[in-house]
């Protein structure tokens, strides 16, 4: 029985897992964590990933790599991003 073709979110998540696992294998001795840089130059709602993609990425990192993410730098984010970020932190007890 053949497996059904993967939907775009599944392809993306599969690629992300491959990327994350490869980065773990490439870490030097003593290096345990990641630093991520998000450059949001030109970000607009029409070119952003669907919310369910974003949620799956966050769940993947939180559930399978919780100790790996050390720092995240966000560059050139639009004002709306920071408003939502601050509201989310406040609502989540972080701010």
């Amino acid at each position: 029985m053949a497996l059904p073709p993967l939907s775009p979110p599944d392809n993306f998540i599969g690629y992300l897992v491959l990327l994350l696992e490869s980065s773990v294998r490439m870490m030097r001795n003593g290096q345990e964590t990641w630093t991520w840089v998000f450059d949001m130059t030109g970000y607009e709602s029409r070119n952003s990933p669907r919310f369910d993609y974003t949620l799956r990425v966050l769940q993947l990192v939180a559930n399978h790599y919780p100790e790996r993410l050390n720092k995240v730098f966000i560059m050139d984010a639009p004002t709306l991003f920071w408003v939502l970020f601050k509201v989310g932190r406040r609502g989540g007890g972080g701010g």
Side-chain angles (χ1 to χ4, degrees), residues 27-32:
M27 288 180 167
R28 296 180 180 158
N29 288 337
Q31 185 177 1
E32 300 283 328

Side-chain angles (χ1 to χ4, degrees), residues 39-50 76-81:
D39 183 354
M40 297 182 76
T41 302
Y43 176 88
E44 297 176 10
S45 60
R46 69 173 179 243
N47 66 10
S48 66
R50 292 184 356 206
D76 295 324
T79 303
L80 179 59
F81 173 86

Side-chain angles (χ1 to χ4, degrees), residues 13-27 34 36 60-61 63-68:
I13 296 298
Y15 174 73
L16 181 62
V17 169
L18 176 66
L19 183 68
L20 295 173
E21 288 296 322
S22 295
S23 71
V24 169
R25 283 192 304 274
M26 292 171 37
M27 288 180 167
W34 296 317
W36 288 3
L60 175 75
V61 173
N63 292 335
H64 300 284
Y65 304 95
E67 73 288 351
R68 294 280 185 203

Side-chain angles (χ1 to χ4, degrees), residues 74-87:
I74 301 170
M75 301 168 49
D76 295 324
T79 303
L80 179 59
F81 173 86
W82 292 115
V83 169
L84 295 174
F85 180 77
K86 289 179 181 179
V87 167

